Amino acid sequence: MRIIKTLAGIYIAYEAIAREEAMIAVLAAILLYQGFFNVSACGIGGCNVSNRYNH
């Protein structure tokens, strides 16, 4: 997944520079940050679902 995010970030950064779009560059920066440093939107264990049932 890191490779996909990094490649997508590079492509989007290229398009942002070619079209001179600042908002697209921000998206590219976020994807590149996630790809380089292996972080996600969930944080550490933020997307885990508990297996406990409240019965």
Side-chain angles (χ1 to χ4, degrees), residues 39-53:
V39 294
S40 67
C42 296
I44 299 174
C47 292
N48 289 342
V49 178
S50 65
N51 293 332
R52 296 183 185 181
Y53 294 107

mmCIF file with all atom_site columns, all heavy atoms in Angstrom, residues 39-53:
data_model
loop_
_atom_site.group_PDB
_atom_site.id
_atom_site.type_symbol
_atom_site.label_atom_id
_atom_site.label_alt_id
_atom_site.label_comp_id
_atom_site.label_asym_id
_atom_site.label_entity_id
_atom_site.label_seq_id
_atom_site.pdbx_PDB_ins_code
_atom_site.Cartn_x
_atom_site.Cartn_y
_atom_site.Cartn_z
_atom_site.occupancy
_atom_site.B_iso_or_equiv
_atom_site.pdbx_formal_charge
_atom_site.auth_seq_id
_atom_site.auth_comp_id
_atom_site.auth_asym_id
_atom_site.auth_atom_id
_atom_site.pdbx_PDB_model_num
ATOM 1   N N   . VAL A 1 39 ? 2.159   6.149   7.485  1.00 0.00 ? 39 VAL A N   1
ATOM 2   C CA  . VAL A 1 39 ? 1.075   6.553   8.378  1.00 0.00 ? 39 VAL A CA  1
ATOM 3   C C   . VAL A 1 39 ? -0.232  6.456   7.605  1.00 0.00 ? 39 VAL A C   1
ATOM 4   O O   . VAL A 1 39 ? -0.259  6.478   6.375  1.00 0.00 ? 39 VAL A O   1
ATOM 5   C CB  . VAL A 1 39 ? 1.268   7.984   8.915  1.00 0.00 ? 39 VAL A CB  1
ATOM 6   C CG1 . VAL A 1 39 ? 2.470   8.068   9.811  1.00 0.00 ? 39 VAL A CG1 1
ATOM 7   C CG2 . VAL A 1 39 ? 1.370   8.989   7.802  1.00 0.00 ? 39 VAL A CG2 1
ATOM 8   N N   . SER A 1 40 ? -1.310  6.332   8.340  1.00 0.00 ? 40 SER A N   1
ATOM 9   C CA  . SER A 1 40 ? -2.612  6.276   7.675  1.00 0.00 ? 40 SER A CA  1
ATOM 10  C C   . SER A 1 40 ? -3.554  7.247   8.353  1.00 0.00 ? 40 SER A C   1
ATOM 11  O O   . SER A 1 40 ? -3.214  7.877   9.351  1.00 0.00 ? 40 SER A O   1
ATOM 12  C CB  . SER A 1 40 ? -3.174  4.862   7.733  1.00 0.00 ? 40 SER A CB  1
ATOM 13  O OG  . SER A 1 40 ? -3.488  4.514   9.057  1.00 0.00 ? 40 SER A OG  1
ATOM 14  N N   . ALA A 1 41 ? -4.741  7.336   7.849  1.00 0.00 ? 41 ALA A N   1
ATOM 15  C CA  . ALA A 1 41 ? -5.731  8.243   8.418  1.00 0.00 ? 41 ALA A CA  1
ATOM 16  C C   . ALA A 1 41 ? -6.223  7.760   9.771  1.00 0.00 ? 41 ALA A C   1
ATOM 17  O O   . ALA A 1 41 ? -6.721  8.536   10.572 1.00 0.00 ? 41 ALA A O   1
ATOM 18  C CB  . ALA A 1 41 ? -6.910  8.394   7.452  1.00 0.00 ? 41 ALA A CB  1
ATOM 19  N N   . CYS A 1 42 ? -6.072  6.480   10.055 1.00 0.00 ? 42 CYS A N   1
ATOM 20  C CA  . CYS A 1 42 ? -6.587  5.917   11.302 1.00 0.00 ? 42 CYS A CA  1
ATOM 21  C C   . CYS A 1 42 ? -5.645  6.096   12.474 1.00 0.00 ? 42 CYS A C   1
ATOM 22  O O   . CYS A 1 42 ? -6.067  5.994   13.621 1.00 0.00 ? 42 CYS A O   1
ATOM 23  C CB  . CYS A 1 42 ? -6.879  4.424   11.120 1.00 0.00 ? 42 CYS A CB  1
ATOM 24  S SG  . CYS A 1 42 ? -8.162  4.103   9.934  1.00 0.00 ? 42 CYS A SG  1
ATOM 25  N N   . GLY A 1 43 ? -4.383  6.304   12.247 1.00 0.00 ? 43 GLY A N   1
ATOM 26  C CA  . GLY A 1 43 ? -3.435  6.381   13.347 1.00 0.00 ? 43 GLY A CA  1
ATOM 27  C C   . GLY A 1 43 ? -3.064  4.992   13.838 1.00 0.00 ? 43 GLY A C   1
ATOM 28  O O   . GLY A 1 43 ? -3.350  3.983   13.210 1.00 0.00 ? 43 GLY A O   1
ATOM 29  N N   . ILE A 1 44 ? -2.442  4.919   14.979 1.00 0.00 ? 44 ILE A N   1
ATOM 30  C CA  . ILE A 1 44 ? -1.997  3.632   15.518 1.00 0.00 ? 44 ILE A CA  1
ATOM 31  C C   . ILE A 1 44 ? -3.188  2.922   16.140 1.00 0.00 ? 44 ILE A C   1
ATOM 32  O O   . ILE A 1 44 ? -3.668  3.297   17.193 1.00 0.00 ? 44 ILE A O   1
ATOM 33  C CB  . ILE A 1 44 ? -0.882  3.826   16.558 1.00 0.00 ? 44 ILE A CB  1
ATOM 34  C CG1 . ILE A 1 44 ? 0.323   4.489   15.909 1.00 0.00 ? 44 ILE A CG1 1
ATOM 35  C CG2 . ILE A 1 44 ? -0.505  2.505   17.195 1.00 0.00 ? 44 ILE A CG2 1
ATOM 36  C CD1 . ILE A 1 44 ? 1.413   4.851   16.872 1.00 0.00 ? 44 ILE A CD1 1
ATOM 37  N N   . GLY A 1 45 ? -3.659  1.878   15.490 1.00 0.00 ? 45 GLY A N   1
ATOM 38  C CA  . GLY A 1 45 ? -4.759  1.071   16.011 1.00 0.00 ? 45 GLY A CA  1
ATOM 39  C C   . GLY A 1 45 ? -6.094  1.787   16.035 1.00 0.00 ? 45 GLY A C   1
ATOM 40  O O   . GLY A 1 45 ? -7.018  1.338   16.702 1.00 0.00 ? 45 GLY A O   1
ATOM 41  N N   . GLY A 1 46 ? -6.217  2.899   15.331 1.00 0.00 ? 46 GLY A N   1
ATOM 42  C CA  . GLY A 1 46 ? -7.453  3.668   15.363 1.00 0.00 ? 46 GLY A CA  1
ATOM 43  C C   . GLY A 1 46 ? -8.595  3.033   14.598 1.00 0.00 ? 46 GLY A C   1
ATOM 44  O O   . GLY A 1 46 ? -9.753  3.337   14.847 1.00 0.00 ? 46 GLY A O   1
ATOM 45  N N   . CYS A 1 47 ? -8.307  2.144   13.673 1.00 0.00 ? 47 CYS A N   1
ATOM 46  C CA  . CYS A 1 47 ? -9.349  1.529   12.859 1.00 0.00 ? 47 CYS A CA  1
ATOM 47  C C   . CYS A 1 47 ? -9.709  0.118   13.322 1.00 0.00 ? 47 CYS A C   1
ATOM 48  O O   . CYS A 1 47 ? -10.459 -0.572  12.657 1.00 0.00 ? 47 CYS A O   1
ATOM 49  C CB  . CYS A 1 47 ? -8.919  1.477   11.397 1.00 0.00 ? 47 CYS A CB  1
ATOM 50  S SG  . CYS A 1 47 ? -8.827  3.101   10.643 1.00 0.00 ? 47 CYS A SG  1
ATOM 51  N N   . ASN A 1 48 ? -9.142  -0.300  14.431 1.00 0.00 ? 48 ASN A N   1
ATOM 52  C CA  . ASN A 1 48 ? -9.451  -1.639  14.925 1.00 0.00 ? 48 ASN A CA  1
ATOM 53  C C   . ASN A 1 48 ? -10.894 -1.706  15.414 1.00 0.00 ? 48 ASN A C   1
ATOM 54  O O   . ASN A 1 48 ? -11.399 -0.773  16.013 1.00 0.00 ? 48 ASN A O   1
ATOM 55  C CB  . ASN A 1 48 ? -8.520  -2.029  16.072 1.00 0.00 ? 48 ASN A CB  1
ATOM 56  C CG  . ASN A 1 48 ? -7.118  -2.282  15.588 1.00 0.00 ? 48 ASN A CG  1
ATOM 57  O OD1 . ASN A 1 48 ? -6.893  -2.493  14.406 1.00 0.00 ? 48 ASN A OD1 1
ATOM 58  N ND2 . ASN A 1 48 ? -6.178  -2.229  16.506 1.00 0.00 ? 48 ASN A ND2 1
ATOM 59  N N   . VAL A 1 49 ? -11.506 -2.832  15.180 1.00 0.00 ? 49 VAL A N   1
ATOM 60  C CA  . VAL A 1 49 ? -12.868 -3.075  15.651 1.00 0.00 ? 49 VAL A CA  1
ATOM 61  C C   . VAL A 1 49 ? -12.792 -4.077  16.774 1.00 0.00 ? 49 VAL A C   1
ATOM 62  O O   . VAL A 1 49 ? -12.152 -5.121  16.649 1.00 0.00 ? 49 VAL A O   1
ATOM 63  C CB  . VAL A 1 49 ? -13.749 -3.623  14.506 1.00 0.00 ? 49 VAL A CB  1
ATOM 64  C CG1 . VAL A 1 49 ? -15.145 -3.911  15.009 1.00 0.00 ? 49 VAL A CG1 1
ATOM 65  C CG2 . VAL A 1 49 ? -13.763 -2.641  13.353 1.00 0.00 ? 49 VAL A CG2 1
ATOM 66  N N   . SER A 1 50 ? -13.436 -3.766  17.879 1.00 0.00 ? 50 SER A N   1
ATOM 67  C CA  . SER A 1 50 ? -13.370 -4.684  19.011 1.00 0.00 ? 50 SER A CA  1
ATOM 68  C C   . SER A 1 50 ? -14.194 -5.927  18.726 1.00 0.00 ? 50 SER A C   1
ATOM 69  O O   . SER A 1 50 ? -15.196 -5.892  18.013 1.00 0.00 ? 50 SER A O   1
ATOM 70  C CB  . SER A 1 50 ? -13.865 -4.009  20.289 1.00 0.00 ? 50 SER A CB  1
ATOM 71  O OG  . SER A 1 50 ? -15.235 -3.712  20.160 1.00 0.00 ? 50 SER A OG  1
ATOM 72  N N   . ASN A 1 51 ? -13.774 -7.045  19.306 1.00 0.00 ? 51 ASN A N   1
ATOM 73  C CA  . ASN A 1 51 ? -14.467 -8.322  19.115 1.00 0.00 ? 51 ASN A CA  1
ATOM 74  C C   . ASN A 1 51 ? -15.435 -8.626  20.240 1.00 0.00 ? 51 ASN A C   1
ATOM 75  O O   . ASN A 1 51 ? -16.004 -9.706  20.288 1.00 0.00 ? 51 ASN A O   1
ATOM 76  C CB  . ASN A 1 51 ? -13.448 -9.462  18.982 1.00 0.00 ? 51 ASN A CB  1
ATOM 77  C CG  . ASN A 1 51 ? -12.642 -9.335  17.710 1.00 0.00 ? 51 ASN A CG  1
ATOM 78  O OD1 . ASN A 1 51 ? -13.122 -8.790  16.728 1.00 0.00 ? 51 ASN A OD1 1
ATOM 79  N ND2 . ASN A 1 51 ? -11.418 -9.817  17.743 1.00 0.00 ? 51 ASN A ND2 1
ATOM 80  N N   . ARG A 1 52 ? -15.607 -7.729  21.167 1.00 0.00 ? 52 ARG A N   1
ATOM 81  C CA  . ARG A 1 52 ? -16.489 -7.954  22.302 1.00 0.00 ? 52 ARG A CA  1
ATOM 82  C C   . ARG A 1 52 ? -17.942 -7.733  21.900 1.00 0.00 ? 52 ARG A C   1
ATOM 83  O O   . ARG A 1 52 ? -18.264 -6.852  21.126 1.00 0.00 ? 52 ARG A O   1
ATOM 84  C CB  . ARG A 1 52 ? -16.144 -7.028  23.437 1.00 0.00 ? 52 ARG A CB  1
ATOM 85  C CG  . ARG A 1 52 ? -14.779 -7.267  24.008 1.00 0.00 ? 52 ARG A CG  1
ATOM 86  C CD  . ARG A 1 52 ? -14.549 -6.358  25.160 1.00 0.00 ? 52 ARG A CD  1
ATOM 87  N NE  . ARG A 1 52 ? -13.186 -6.516  25.639 1.00 0.00 ? 52 ARG A NE  1
ATOM 88  C CZ  . ARG A 1 52 ? -12.698 -5.855  26.650 1.00 0.00 ? 52 ARG A CZ  1
ATOM 89  N NH1 . ARG A 1 52 ? -13.443 -4.981  27.281 1.00 0.00 ? 52 ARG A NH1 1
ATOM 90  N NH2 . ARG A 1 52 ? -11.460 -6.052  27.035 1.00 0.00 ? 52 ARG A NH2 1
ATOM 91  N N   . TYR A 1 53 ? -18.774 -8.552  22.454 1.00 0.00 ? 53 TYR A N   1
ATOM 92  C CA  . TYR A 1 53 ? -20.212 -8.413  22.231 1.00 0.00 ? 53 TYR A CA  1
ATOM 93  C C   . TYR A 1 53 ? -20.860 -8.046  23.561 1.00 0.00 ? 53 TYR A C   1
ATOM 94  O O   . TYR A 1 53 ? -20.562 -8.640  24.590 1.00 0.00 ? 53 TYR A O   1
ATOM 95  C CB  . TYR A 1 53 ? -20.816 -9.726  21.733 1.00 0.00 ? 53 TYR A CB  1
ATOM 96  C CG  . TYR A 1 53 ? -20.320 -10.111 20.373 1.00 0.00 ? 53 TYR A CG  1
ATOM 97  C CD1 . TYR A 1 53 ? -19.417 -11.148 20.207 1.00 0.00 ? 53 TYR A CD1 1
ATOM 98  C CD2 . TYR A 1 53 ? -20.745 -9.430  19.244 1.00 0.00 ? 53 TYR A CD2 1
ATOM 99  C CE1 . TYR A 1 53 ? -18.947 -11.505 18.972 1.00 0.00 ? 53 TYR A CE1 1
ATOM 100 C CE2 . TYR A 1 53 ? -20.280 -9.787  17.986 1.00 0.00 ? 53 TYR A CE2 1
ATOM 101 C CZ  . TYR A 1 53 ? -19.389 -10.806 17.859 1.00 0.00 ? 53 TYR A CZ  1
ATOM 102 O OH  . TYR A 1 53 ? -18.921 -11.167 16.618 1.00 0.00 ? 53 TYR A OH  1
#
